[in-house]
Amino acid sequence: MFDRDGNQKVDRQEFLVLEEIFGKKTEDDGSSESSPQGPPKTTLMTHLFGQKGMDSLDFNTFFKFMDNLQTEVLELEFLHFSKGMPVINEEEFAEILLRYTNAAETDRDEYMQRLRTRIDNGQVPNQNVMQQLSYFITRYALQG
């Protein structure tokens, strides 16, 4: 997906595809140095691709970086909804899942109302199970 030239490495330009995926274009707010090769330098870009932005990552390093990033984001999201507890309730779980759908806001509200009439205030699995579900969904989405 990121290795566009097929050399089994991810370079700076290939990595910048992530900005498009996350829908965030780099805006120059004057706080970062711009290079003639592209967007402003960031600490992350310098760490991954060196001071001049010419280094590249092998696939295993890139995969480990992405896995760690996804784990950290999921942990933060889980902690936000669980309010520090080791589990979350069904409604919170549904809210997390609905965040990543293309459903309109009105449809989401309808889904949540329907869910509220059907739940018995049970609890859903812990963060580890939530993370496994997220990995499954991600892999399924990449295959389709």
Side-chain angles (χ1 to χ4, degrees), residues 7-39:
N7 66 354
Q8 302 294 313
K9 293 184 180 280
V10 178
D11 63 27
R12 184 173 187 251
Q13 290 304 114
E14 292 167 331
F15 185 79
L16 291 175
V17 169
L18 288 175
E19 287 182 345
E20 294 174 27
I21 290 173
F22 291 120
K24 178 183 179 244
K25 298 287 183 191
T26 303
E27 297 176 14
D28 189 2
D29 61 2
S31 63
S32 302
E33 295 178 36
S34 291
S35 74
Q37 298 170 326

Side-chain angles (χ1 to χ4, degrees), residues 77-89 92 96:
E77 185 171 50
F78 184 87
L79 289 172
H80 171 77
F81 279 93
S82 71
K83 299 169 184 73
M85 301 300 288
V87 294
I88 58 176
N89 66 37
E92 292 162 336
I96 291 172

Side-chain angles (χ1 to χ4, degrees), residues 8-142:
Q8 302 294 313
K9 293 184 180 280
V10 178
D11 63 27
R12 184 173 187 251
Q13 290 304 114
E14 292 167 331
F15 185 79
L16 291 175
V17 169
L18 288 175
E19 287 182 345
E20 294 174 27
I21 290 173
F22 291 120
K24 178 183 179 244
K25 298 287 183 191
T26 303
E27 297 176 14
D28 189 2
D29 61 2
S31 63
S32 302
E33 295 178 36
S34 291
S35 74
Q37 298 170 326
K41 287 184 187 178
T42 63
T43 304
L44 176 61
M45 295 297 281
T46 301
H47 173 75
L48 294 175
F49 303 106
Q51 196 67 20
K52 294 182 181 181
M54 302 305 288
D55 296 347
S56 61
L57 302 170
D58 62 63
F59 179 77
N60 289 334
T61 304
F62 178 70
F63 181 82
K64 185 175 180 177
F65 167 78
M66 292 301 295
D67 187 55
N68 289 341
L69 177 64
Q70 184 177 14
T71 299
E72 190 167 332
V73 168
L74 288 170
E75 181 179 343
L76 291 171
E77 185 171 50
F78 184 87
L79 289 172
H80 171 77
F81 279 93
S82 71
K83 299 169 184 73
M85 301 300 288
V87 294
I88 58 176
N89 66 37
E90 292 165 329
E91 189 172 338
E92 292 162 336
F93 179 70
E95 286 181 33
I96 291 172
L97 292 178
L98 286 173
R99 286 176 110 178
Y100 299 104
T101 66
N102 292 329
E105 191 66 35
T106 54
D107 291 338
R108 290 180 190 184
D109 292 341
E110 183 181 322
Y111 299 151
M112 292 304 294
Q113 281 293 38
R114 196 173 334 146
L115 175 70
R116 286 182 192 109
T117 64
R118 297 177 181 176
I119 61 175
D120 60 1
N121 291 327
Q123 293 185 333
V124 296
N126 61 24
Q127 180 181 344
N128 187 37
V129 174
M130 181 90 169
Q131 186 174 11
Q132 290 174 2
L133 175 64
S134 177
Y135 288 150
F136 170 77
I137 291 170
T138 301
R139 287 186 180 99
Y140 179 79
L142 289 175

